Amino acid sequence: MRDARALAPEPALDAVSAQLGEMLRRADALLAEWSAFGDEVRARVAGEVSAIGQIVGAAIDRAALDMTTTHVERQFAEQLGTRLAALGAELARLEGRARAASRAAIDAKRGDRHVLWLGVAGIAIANVLLAVLLLRSPPTPIAPPLPQIQPAIVAPPPDAAVDAPPPPPPVDAAPPAKHPVR
């Protein structure tokens, strides 16, 4: 019996072996198909990851650039604002100084004009006085009256000699005063 059984399993085993071989072929085909599908999925995923990486990288670059630009613009605006405020204050001081210098120049001009007008008035007065002196007729000199000399009659003393000169006349009047020129 054993022999009968031993003989019988061989065809059954061959059939099982054939089925297992067929199953292994199909499994190898499925495995090759799955492997090709896996490679295709891997390539697709790698392409998608690369595209997503590029998009994310570009977004990060844009964000970094925007952030840097925003930061630089903010810093620039702050520094520019500070410098503009300082320049505005300096311009206000310079404007005040310019106005003060302008007022000083105007006051100096007024002073110069006053001096000029006083000089012109002085020259005009001097010219008028000179014209009056030149146009006036020459004054007639008024001669002081000559003192009247009266001869003194003096009787000679009786014992005096006749040849002696007569004494000088007495000076009883002061010298005549000079009259001012009119």
Side-chain angles (χ1 to χ4, degrees):
M1 294 208 217
R2 276 189 158 202
D3 280 327
R5 274 189 178 179
L7 288 177
E10 266 182 39
L13 220 83
D14 283 342
V16 169
S17 254
Q19 283 180 351
L20 281 175
E22 184 64 28
M23 208 160 98
L24 282 175
R25 243 183 308 121
R26 284 189 181 179
D28 282 343
L30 282 174
L31 187 62
E33 196 176 303
W34 270 103
S35 183
F37 178 72
D39 289 342
E40 184 181 317
V41 168
R42 248 191 303 273
R44 263 180 152 172
V45 168
E48 292 293 324
V49 166
S50 174
I52 290 172
Q54 288 176 354
I55 292 171
V56 169
I60 289 172
D61 289 345
R62 267 193 310 255
L65 181 64
D66 289 345
M67 187 194 253
T68 304
T69 303
T70 303
H71 180 70
V72 167
E73 286 175 351
R74 187 177 330 122
Q75 289 294 324
F76 183 71
E78 288 175 5
Q79 290 179 1
L80 184 63
T82 305
R83 288 184 179 172
L84 283 176
L87 284 174
E90 184 67 23
L91 283 175
R93 283 193 300 268
L94 287 175
E95 183 180 4
R97 287 181 184 170
R99 284 184 180 165
S102 174
R103 282 191 296 271
I106 289 171
D107 291 342
K109 274 186 177 180
R110 279 191 196 133
D112 291 347
R113 284 184 191 149
H114 290 305
V115 169
L116 178 66
W117 282 111
L118 288 174
V120 168
I123 291 172
I125 291 171
N127 284 340
V128 167
L129 289 176
L130 184 62
V132 166
L133 284 175
L134 290 176
L135 294 177
R136 189 176 91 170
S137 62
T140 56
I142 301 174
L146 295 175
Q148 296 287 334
I149 301 178
Q150 294 183 3
I153 302 176
V154 178
D159 56 335
V162 179
D163 290 344
V171 179
D172 54 309
K178 294 185 178 179
H179 295 286
V181 178
R182 292 184 195 172

